[in-house]
Amino acid sequence: MLWAASCQARHLELARVLLEAGAKPDDGESYVARGDAKLVMKDYDGAIEDFQQAIKADHEYAEAHYGLGSALSAKGDAKAALKPLDMAIRL
């Protein structure tokens, strides 16, 4: 839980800038930052999309898998959340 909070805090400022500018991220870290911000704002579908793009950019990016699992869980799909959360743990 503490790890998630520190990841979120680290990315929120970058995500805020990206969201305000309407920028499309071009790397996994930027997608995760934007996904974190959308998750905080309860835009679960938007967060899921960003975390999936981050995973597409870097399949071994643990924070992206964790974010995807968190967004799926927050959306109410605990079963779907298990796979990305398990992957985050393994990475």
Side-chain angles (χ1 to χ4, degrees):
M1 193 69 106
L2 184 58
W3 178 68
S6 74
C7 291
Q8 207 169 47
R10 190 175 78 212
H11 293 298
L12 284 178
E13 181 60 23
L14 173 59
R16 183 188 62 75
V17 171
L18 288 169
L19 287 170
E20 287 178 0
K24 182 172 174 114
D26 62 356
D27 62 33
E29 185 174 357
S30 296
Y31 275 112
V32 167
R34 197 169 77 170
D36 283 343
K38 288 179 180 179
L39 187 56
V40 168
M41 295 183 301
K42 299 183 191 288
D43 176 6
Y44 302 128
D45 291 328
I48 289 166
E49 183 178 319
D50 283 337
F51 292 127
Q52 288 172 332
Q53 288 297 324
I55 291 167
K56 187 175 178 181
D58 180 359
H59 186 69
E60 295 189 7
Y61 193 6
E63 290 177 65
H65 289 279
Y66 180 83
L68 177 58
S70 296
L72 289 165
S73 179
K75 187 176 176 181
D77 195 349
K79 185 175 180 179
L82 291 176
K83 184 176 179 182
L85 290 173
D86 180 60
M87 180 63 91
I89 291 167
R90 288 189 283 132
L91 292 171

